[in-house]
Structures are given as C-alpha cells and as structure tokens.
Amino acid sequence: MEKSNPLVSICMPAYNAGKYIGEAVRSILEQTYTNWELIIINDGSTDDTAVVLNRFTDPRISIHQQKNSGQCAAANKAFNLSKGRLIKFMDADDMITPGYIAEQVKRVGNSEDAVASAAWGRFYNDDIGTFKLNEEFIKEDCKPIDWLVSSMDGKQAMMQCALWLIPRAVLEKSGLWDERLSLVNDFEFITRVLLQANEIRFAQNAVLYYRSGIGNSLSALTSRRGIESAFTSIYEGTAYMLLYENSPRVRTAVADCLQNFVYAYYPHYPDIMNKAQQRINELGGSKARFPAGGYTKLLNQIIGWKLTQKFKALFGR
C-alpha cells in the first residue's frame, strides 16, 4: 500500500499569511491524491493567520505555533514533525492544480533518489486571471547538474520550493534548510537537495501558480541582512555545483548566476557586489545580459546598466 500510495508530507511555514493561506490550503484540500498530511508552522504571526487556519477541520491538517524564528526554521520544524516518504515544502501563498501531487507521486514512483519537478507560471496582484504559464521551464527528465546548468542559461533559475516532490531519503542525505538565510534561501537548499538526487523527473500536468507582486514579501527585501543572505545562498549553492562538476559549462552557468545577482541588487552594499564580481572574474567572466524592458531598456542603451540601476534605486522604480 505504501509503495503504490505513499504518504506525502506537505510542510508549510506561515508568517503573517492570513490574506493568502486560505487559498493555499484549499488548493491542497482539492487534490485528487488524498494520502497526504499538511503540517503548518505558524511562525509567530501577528495578523489573522491563526484565525484563518482555525476554520480548517480536516484531520490531515495539523497546525503548530512557534515564536517567530524565520521561514527556514519553520520549514525544518515541519519536516521534523512529518511522517511521509515523500516531502513537499510549500509557501503559504502558493497554489497548485488539483492533480499536482498525484502527477508528481506517479513520476517519483518507487524511487528513493528521483525528485519530481513541475510546470509553473506567475499571476499578479492576487488575480489568478492574470496567470500565464512560463514556457521556459525544463520539460525533460534529466540529471540534476544538467537541470541546474540549463535553468541558468540566459535566465534566473526557478528554485521555488513547491515545484519539487522529494523523497525523504534524499533529504536525509542533503540536510535541511540553512537557518542563517532569509532572502533567496531556496537557492542554496534546492541546489544542495537536487545534487543528492540521481534524476529529476518532470510532471507535465502538475502546475504551480506562483504569486508575484507581494510588496512586503521576503523577496522584496533590500536590507543588508537580506542581500547578504541572497549572496550567501547563491555563492554556496553555486559552489556545490562546482564541487560536483568543475567544467567550462558549469563555470559559465555559475558566473552568469552571480552576474544576475549583481544586476538585481546593484548599487546596494558595494562590498557585497565586489565579492560577487571577484568570484565572476575568477570563473572567467560572464556574458549574461542586463535584464531590461520598457524605460530601463532605453536607459541601459543610453547610460549603461550601472547608471540605470542607480536611477532605479534613487527614484524607487
């Protein structure tokens, strides 16, 4: 029974997610696959997260409170309370299609070292009607290092935690979330996890609805602590890639990934930007292009990307 219908543990940290978490939980309740447990860690929320969660009475859902300790600590606590052979980490504002878990369970099968991926797209301003499927994700089954290199080819890698269904055996080898990290914490973790797997198997009919445009989300932070976390996560995650395969293609992918970090956060904290640039130079440089559209594309053509970023930082655009 367990092999054909394994328990899936969904681990969900929640901090001030009252506006969104109801939709996230309902998308799990609507799954065609029914052998799951949802472990929610309310990480010291000060909004109505607890009130919203108390409306759910399904016995497969357990809710635990903790003093605010950060997303990584909450995710780790949820995992430590879990019992499933297969694990999904999921943010409190994620939504997934009804057949999502069933498709990923089917793709993992009885393997203890294959991780299932999924399709995804974004929607904006809390309006699911704006959803658009991303067409650039990797649709083939492949080795993890191949997936990582391909996912960084001309774009930012999408590492969002809900994309993956992970055997517990892989997590026991990789280790859990790094509790030092906040911003971009998924990059280091997911890279480390994937490189402990033998294969990534794509679940074509599983689609993640990725919510964009939340102004006060972790991904919007530009504090020094946040940017240091982002740099540490990317630096360490790409270091795992180089340890796994120190080849020209991996060096190029790592350099491009770090260059995209510089593009994203320049001109904040020059010492961090300099560390990233030094690493890029050590790897032989990057040809990654500055991502620009609209007025930034025009500004970049006239004054270059550095002055364009300074302009954006100065005027908050």
Side-chain angles (χ1 to χ4, degrees), residues 179-198:
E179 297 183 13
R180 299 172 301 159
L181 302 178
S182 54
L183 189 64
V184 196
N185 53 358
D186 49 4
F187 187 96
E188 184 275 339
F189 174 66
I190 296 298
T191 303
R192 176 160 41 90
V193 169
L194 294 184
L195 291 174
Q196 290 296 330
N198 182 58

Side-chain angles (χ1 to χ4, degrees), residues 259 262-263 266 290 300 303-310:
Q259 185 64 62
V262 174
Y263 286 148
Y266 185 90
F290 177 65
N300 181 45
I303 63 176
W305 73 266
K306 288 186 176 180
L307 288 176
T308 298
Q309 285 296 87
K310 287 181 178 179

Side-chain angles (χ1 to χ4, degrees), residues 195-264:
L195 291 174
Q196 290 296 330
N198 182 58
E199 186 179 24
I200 295 174
R201 298 177 180 173
F202 177 63
Q204 183 171 0
N205 297 316
V207 181
L208 168 67
Y209 299 111
Y210 183 67
R211 191 185 303 265
S212 293
I214 304 174
N216 63 348
S217 68
L218 276 177
S219 58
L221 293 177
T222 55
S223 66
R224 182 174 183 91
R225 178 175 177 266
I227 294 177
E228 282 182 333
S229 170
F231 175 66
T232 300
S233 182
I234 292 169
Y235 187 95
E236 293 188 0
T238 54
Y240 302 146
M241 293 172 61
L242 289 165
L243 283 171
Y244 190 91
E245 181 190 310
N246 194 341
S247 65
R249 68 166 188 155
V250 173
R251 292 171 71 86
T252 297
V254 169
D256 289 351
C257 186
L258 287 162
Q259 185 64 62
N260 284 322
F261 164 81
V262 174
Y263 286 148

Side-chain angles (χ1 to χ4, degrees), residues 3-280:
K3 283 196 172 183
S4 62
N5 190 41
L7 177 65
V8 174
S9 295
I10 305 161
C11 301
M12 181 180 290
Y15 175 72
N16 287 353
K19 184 177 179 181
Y20 311 109
I21 197 167
E23 291 179 321
V25 173
R26 280 190 289 275
S27 78
I28 295 168
L29 289 168
E30 292 168 359
Q31 291 298 299
T32 58
Y33 191 86
T34 58
N35 191 23
W36 53 260
E37 60 174 356
L38 171 59
I39 303 160
I40 302 173
I41 307 299
N42 187 356
D43 186 37
S45 297
T46 57
D47 68 348
D48 63 343
T49 295
V51 175
V52 174
L53 290 176
N54 284 337
R55 297 172 187 159
F56 296 103
T57 58
D58 191 296
R60 295 171 294 180
I61 301 173
S62 61
I63 302 163
H64 307 266
Q65 313 292 329
Q66 73 173 22
K67 180 181 177 181
N68 181 247
S69 303
Q71 182 185 28
C72 291
N76 288 342
K77 181 173 181 177
F79 174 80
N80 289 329
L81 292 168
S82 71
K83 301 180 179 67
R85 181 174 74 83
L86 302 175
I87 309 295
K88 175 173 292 298
F89 293 99
M90 190 165 167
D91 290 340
D93 59 351
D94 291 335
M95 290 189 288
I96 54 179
T97 49
Y100 195 100
I101 293 176
E103 289 293 326
Q104 288 198 314
V105 169
K106 187 189 304 181
R107 290 306 338 268
V108 171
N110 294 329
S111 174
E112 296 295 341
D113 61 3
V115 172
S117 64
W120 68 279
R122 297 180 186 273
F123 68 101
Y124 295 86
N125 302 315
D126 304 328
D127 180 5
I128 197 69
T130 65
F131 176 79
K132 185 175 181 180
L133 188 68
N134 185 295
E135 297 294 345
E136 295 185 351
F137 53 81
I138 299 163
K139 302 178 176 68
E140 297 81 21
D141 296 354
C142 58
K143 294 295 183 182
I145 192 64
D146 297 333
W147 187 95
L148 289 163
V149 169
S150 296
S151 71
M152 296 175 189
D153 184 11
K155 56 188 177 297
Q156 292 277 26
M158 178 59 166
M159 301 291 209
Q160 211 277 349
C161 61
L163 278 176
W164 313 99
L165 186 65
I166 309 164
R168 180 179 293 272
V170 171
L171 289 165
E172 288 172 346
K173 290 190 292 183
S174 69
L176 298 179
W177 294 78
D178 186 335
E179 297 183 13
R180 299 172 301 159
L181 302 178
S182 54
L183 189 64
V184 196
N185 53 358
D186 49 4
F187 187 96
E188 184 275 339
F189 174 66
I190 296 298
T191 303
R192 176 160 41 90
V193 169
L194 294 184
L195 291 174
Q196 290 296 330
N198 182 58
E199 186 179 24
I200 295 174
R201 298 177 180 173
F202 177 63
Q204 183 171 0
N205 297 316
V207 181
L208 168 67
Y209 299 111
Y210 183 67
R211 191 185 303 265
S212 293
I214 304 174
N216 63 348
S217 68
L218 276 177
S219 58
L221 293 177
T222 55
S223 66
R224 182 174 183 91
R225 178 175 177 266
I227 294 177
E228 282 182 333
S229 170
F231 175 66
T232 300
S233 182
I234 292 169
Y235 187 95
E236 293 188 0
T238 54
Y240 302 146
M241 293 172 61
L242 289 165
L243 283 171
Y244 190 91
E245 181 190 310
N246 194 341
S247 65
R249 68 166 188 155
V250 173
R251 292 171 71 86
T252 297
V254 169
D256 289 351
C257 186
L258 287 162
Q259 185 64 62
N260 284 322
F261 164 81
V262 174
Y263 286 148
Y265 294 108
Y266 185 90
H268 301 286
Y269 311 107
D271 59 318
I272 302 175
M273 298 301 109
N274 289 338
K275 288 178 183 177
Q277 189 60 58
Q278 181 180 349
R279 181 68 157 168
I280 293 166

